[in-house]
């Protein structure tokens, strides 16, 4: 007999939930409910998550109304211990029978790997799903990513916000449940103002009933896209284009249940303030969407999203305009005030701001970065004087009122203030570019000077924080060192600056305050950066084995070339993998390295092979092929053309295969054996000029 199935609806009504966390709370709640059903063995179909500022909900299709029956098999005491000499059951047998809920004579004798034992076989009826749901909901709520839970009133319940109603319906049946001290019902609530009354709902009509008559768009994605359409339409209606950032759009969707987009305006005089400050004020403080004209410049307009369909929309617009004016006035005031003090006059004040206790102040850090910038400017093709000047000014905008109010404008405002101060254009631009890439997917600095500062700034931070024992552990990375490391290697890679990592980090270590052993951190920091680079390449579709093959020969702390050279080797290995000989040569190289290791002969320590000692045509042919390849490959490697080098080495596949097919490497004659080992060492060394191809995919 097939168990009955019904659609399930669970909704938890709350006070306004944290907007930036709402989407994750929604997804996790739905996933945890589905996982709880799975754990309980309750069959179900697809689930769908819903969330608004005042609710978390999930519907799950075709949920079995009870668990399946479960076959129980238990092994008890050994038969020899279960009965006495007269065949009467012992206490062990009686206790086992009681634990199974049956008499001793209902037990069976079963054969196990430990001999004959008493056993029990039975069927445990499945429980009703309705009886399981309260526990499943409690468990799902307990597992939500809520850093701090709150209590309210005299209740012992705790959640991210106070809760007000609970809906649990399986089909048309209201499931009796108590969660967070709330008794379940079959009624949701509509919009706080438009329809505060109760609304009977089921899984089948949940979204439709909340929308009409409830004035609630329950589906998060639907609401977000509806907001996008409204905002864009409102901007078009005033002759502009809305600037819609996805993270702001998602946050606004988490703030409203019935969105209504309205266009407003502000005094055009505010446009004299850098537009980034105006945009930050509109987006960050008011959650407004800026509007741009056809030329891409900011218009004195914005689009706000109300959570109400007002009978007097003009009054709502006027209210938003009143609110934004003092915000923009503050930005204008900061702009005017900050420009009274040139950035250069703020440098000494950096000495009053601690960067890190053991590493000194921002003045100390600026001095270290300036020294690094001065040293490596030629390698980056940057002007030395401008590099030093930019390094000293890079942190000064932190002391401005604008950046104090809008921390996200660090660097951006430095660029504006530097231009106002008459600093050279490259210096001003570098004050912003030093922070690039700011986040994943962001571009690196466009100028060589900007990339130089980005590398020097991050190198000082990485070595310094490692030296004071604050390297990242697990998921904790309070100084953002993982992001800093990736930004550093990307700046070198995408700027094609072939500066060895060890040179940069050794110089940074030399600049650290006395008492800190920066030199001991150079190798760990290089390894840390290469691990970030490995993750970057993995995201780009490069197999981990390819990265490992290159790192084995070009990723050490003593590597004389930089990240662009590393990248050329890696791309060459990828191209090599597409060749039909790749798998065979990778396997051959692994075999060679195993033979050399087991023979006790260190790689590269053997003398050149002696052609006079070769006994077979196959070893003579391989030696001649390797010698010919060495000449060409050496030139190609020195020119950095690693792809051509591996392509040429691929031609060794046939003589290598014939060698292993006909030649016994570990010959009894020691001189012959060592000569053959020397040949293999020479062959391996040719490939190691590019990468350790034995680690490439395809080798066993």
């Amino acid at each position: 007999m097939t168990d009955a199935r019904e659609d399930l609806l669970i909704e938890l009504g709350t006070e306004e939930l944290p907007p930036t966390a709402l989407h994750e709370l929604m997804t996790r709640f739905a996933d945890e409910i589905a996982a709880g059903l799975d754990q309980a063995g309750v069959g179900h179909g697809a689930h769908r998550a819903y969330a608004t500022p005042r609710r978390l909900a999930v519907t799950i299709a075709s949920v079995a109304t009870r668990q399946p029956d479960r076959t129980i098999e238990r092994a008890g005491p050994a038969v020899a211990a279960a009965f006495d000499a007269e065949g009467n059951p012992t206490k062990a047998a009686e206790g086992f029978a009681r634990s199974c809920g049956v008499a001793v004579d209902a037990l069976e004798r079963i054969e196990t790997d430990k001999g004959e034992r008493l056993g029990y076989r039975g069927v445990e009826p499945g429980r009703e799903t309705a009886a399981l749901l309260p526990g499943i909901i409690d468990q799902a709520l307990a597992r939500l990513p809520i850093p701090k839970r709150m209590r309210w009133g005299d209740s012992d319940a705790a959640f991210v916000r106070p809760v007000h109603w609970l809906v649990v319906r399986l089909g048309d049946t209201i499931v009796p449940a108590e969660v967070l001290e709330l008794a379940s019902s079959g009624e949701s609530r509509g919009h706080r103002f438009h329809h505060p009354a109760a609304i009977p709902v089921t899984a089948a009509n949940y979204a439709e009933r909340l929308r009409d008559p409830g004035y609630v768009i329950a589906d998060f994605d639907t609401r977000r896209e509806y907001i996008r359409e409204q905002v864009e339409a409102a901007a078009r209606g005033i002759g502009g284009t809305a600037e819609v950032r996805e993270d702001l759009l998602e946050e606004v969707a988490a703030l409203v249940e019935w969105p209504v987009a309205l266009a407003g305006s502000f005094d055009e005089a505010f446009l004299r303030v850098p537009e980034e400050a105006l945009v930050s004020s509109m987006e960050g403080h008011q959650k407004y969407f800026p509007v741009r004209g056809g030329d891409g410049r900011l218009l004195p307009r914005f689009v706000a999203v109300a959570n109400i369909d007002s009978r007097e929309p003009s009054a709502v617009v006027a209210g938003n305009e009143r609110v934004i004016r003092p915000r923009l006035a503050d930005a204008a005031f900061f702009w005017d005030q900050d420009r009274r003090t040139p950035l250069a006059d703020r440098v000494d004040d950096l000495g009053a701001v601690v960067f890190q206790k053991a590493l000194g102040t921002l003045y100390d850090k600026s001095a270290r970065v300036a020294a690094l910038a001065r040293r490596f400017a030629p390698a980056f093709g940057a002007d030395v004087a401008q590099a030093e000047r930019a390094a000293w000014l890079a942190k000064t905008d932190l002391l401005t009122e604008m950046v104090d109010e809008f921390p996200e404008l660090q660097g951006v405002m430095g660029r504006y203030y530097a231009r106002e101060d008459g600093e050279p254009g490259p210096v001003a631009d570098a004050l912003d570019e030093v922070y690039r890439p700011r986040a994943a997917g962001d571009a690196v600095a466009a100028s060589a000077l900007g990339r130089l500062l980005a590398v020097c700034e991050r190198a000082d931070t990485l070595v310094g924080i490692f030296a004071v024992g604050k390297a990242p552990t697990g998921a904790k990375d309070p100084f953002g060192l993982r992001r800093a490391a990736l930004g550093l290697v990307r700046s070198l890679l995408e700027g094609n600056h072939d500066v060895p990592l060890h040179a940069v980090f050794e110089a940074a270590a030399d600049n650290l305050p006395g008492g800190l052993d920066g030199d001991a951190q150079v190798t760990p920091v290089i390894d840390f950066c290469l691990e970030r680079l490995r993750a970057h390449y993995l995201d780009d579709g490069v197999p981990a084995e390819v990265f490992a093959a290159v790192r084995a020969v070009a990723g050490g702390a003593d590597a004389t070339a930089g990240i662009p050279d590393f990248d050329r080797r890696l791309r060459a290995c990828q191209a090599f993998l597409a060749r039909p000989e790749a798998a065979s040569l990778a396997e051959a190289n692994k075999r060679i390295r195993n033979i050399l290791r087991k023979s006790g002969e260190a790689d590269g320590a053997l003398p050149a092979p002696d052609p006079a000692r070769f006994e077979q045509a196959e070893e003579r042919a391989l030696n001649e092929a390797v010698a010919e390849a060495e000449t060409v490959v050496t030139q190609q490697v020195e020119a950095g053309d690693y792809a051509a080098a591996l392509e040429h080495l691929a031609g060794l596949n046939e003589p290598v295969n014939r060698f292993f097919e006909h030649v016994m490497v570990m010959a009894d004659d020691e001189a012959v054996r060592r000569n053959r080992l020397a040949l293999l060492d020479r062959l391996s060394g040719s490939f190691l000029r590019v990468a350790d191809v034995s680690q490439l995919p395809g080798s066993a």
Side-chain angles (χ1 to χ4, degrees), residues 369 372-373 376 451-461 504:
V369 174
L372 287 175
F376 289 102
R451 293 190 295 272
L452 168 66
L453 282 194
V455 168
C456 294
E457 160 71 25
R458 288 164 173 79
D460 176 75
T461 298
V504 175

Side-chain angles (χ1 to χ4, degrees), residues 471-546:
T473 56
K476 295 182 179 179
D477 187 11
F479 291 93
L481 298 190
R482 293 186 178 93
R483 184 173 65 251
L486 180 57
L488 186 150
V489 294
R490 280 190 58 203
S491 296
L492 292 171
L493 173 61
E494 296 173 35
N496 197 31
H497 302 298
D498 229 340
V499 181
L501 286 179
H502 72 83
V504 175
F505 292 129
E506 285 171 4
D510 291 342
N511 293 335
L512 292 182
L516 293 178
D517 188 2
D519 291 338
Q521 303 306 318
V522 171
T523 296
V525 170
I526 289 175
D527 291 341
F528 182 76
C529 288
L530 289 178
E531 184 57 26
R532 295 299 95 207
L533 184 62
R534 184 186 72 86
H536 176 69
Y537 277 124
L538 281 175
D539 291 342
D540 200 30
V542 177
E545 299 94 332
V546 174

Side-chain angles (χ1 to χ4, degrees), residues 48-62:
R48 184 170 181 177
Y50 297 88
T52 76
R54 301 175 61 221
R55 72 200 73 227
L56 295 174
V58 57
T59 60
I60 305 182
S62 190

Side-chain angles (χ1 to χ4, degrees), residues 86-393:
E86 288 75 31
N88 297 314
T90 63
K91 290 184 178 181
E94 292 173 344
F96 176 65
R98 281 195 303 274
S99 71
C100 296
V102 298
V104 173
D105 58 8
L107 300 174
E108 303 177 17
R109 298 190 180 201
I110 58 176
E111 287 293 335
T112 72
D113 55 359
K114 296 181 179 179
E116 189 179 33
R117 309 180 76 86
L118 283 185
Y120 170 73
R121 290 187 177 91
V123 176
E124 180 181 286
R127 296 178 62 193
E128 295 292 325
T129 300
L132 299 170
L133 283 173
I136 291 173
I137 298 171
D138 278 334
Q139 180 175 272
L141 294 174
R143 290 180 175 176
L144 292 183
I146 301 172
K148 188 175 182 180
R149 295 172 186 254
M150 63 180 293
R151 300 182 187 277
W152 53 94
D154 58 358
S155 171
D156 290 329
F159 194 53
V160 63
R161 291 291 186 270
V163 297
H164 293 296
W165 74 86
L166 173 68
V167 177
V168 186
R169 295 196 76 153
L170 193 56
D172 292 327
T173 303
I174 298 172
V175 176
E178 184 173 311
V179 174
L180 296 177
E181 301 184 4
L182 284 175
S184 61
S185 75
E187 295 180 332
S188 180
R189 305 288 186 275
H191 190 280
R192 187 185 295 277
F193 304 112
H194 286 307
H195 196 288
I199 303 174
V201 289
T202 67
N205 66 16
Y206 177 71
E208 291 77 10
R209 291 286 292 157
L210 282 183
R211 187 158 189 158
D212 184 11
Y215 281 81
V216 172
I217 302 176
D219 184 273
F220 191 97
D221 293 341
T222 299
R223 190 168 66 252
R224 182 185 59 215
E225 294 311 308
Y226 183 60
I227 292 170
R228 188 198 304 275
E229 292 170 6
Q230 283 202 38
V231 169
E232 291 176 347
R236 285 195 300 272
I238 55 176
T241 301
E243 184 175 307
V244 181
R245 285 194 301 106
E246 293 301 315
D247 55 344
L248 177 60
L249 180 64
E250 184 144 318
E251 187 175 357
V252 172
L255 287 167
V256 298
E257 292 191 318
W258 191 252
V260 177
L262 300 166
S265 62
F266 57 85
D267 192 335
E268 190 171 355
F270 287 124
L271 292 179
R272 68 183 178 80
V273 179
E275 67 174 38
E276 290 88 346
L278 302 179
V279 169
S280 285
S281 187
M282 283 188 278
E283 292 182 338
H285 288 145
Q286 304 306 131
K287 313 306 175 188
Y288 296 165
F289 294 92
V291 178
R292 296 187 180 275
D295 59 358
R297 300 182 66 178
L298 198 66
L299 296 178
R301 307 301 297 268
F302 63 86
V303 178
V305 179
N307 188 31
I308 190 170
D309 193 0
S310 174
R311 289 190 295 269
E312 296 185 47
S314 60
V316 178
V317 171
N320 281 284
E321 291 175 343
R322 282 195 302 272
V323 170
I324 193 62
R325 180 176 178 78
R327 293 291 189 182
L328 300 183
D330 285 345
F333 175 77
F334 298 148
W335 170 244
D336 293 336
Q337 286 294 107
D338 288 339
R339 286 184 297 153
R340 293 182 178 180
T341 305
L343 293 181
D345 290 353
R346 299 179 186 270
V347 171
D348 289 343
D349 294 336
L350 293 172
V353 183
V354 175
F355 167 62
Q356 200 279 335
K357 184 177 180 181
L359 295 171
T361 65
L362 287 182
Y363 184 94
D364 299 323
K365 180 173 179 59
S366 297
R368 295 194 298 269
V369 174
L372 287 175
R374 186 169 56 247
R375 174 170 177 176
F376 289 102
F380 280 73
D383 181 85
V384 175
Q386 289 185 349
E388 187 170 7
R389 179 72 172 178
W392 275 111
L393 298 179

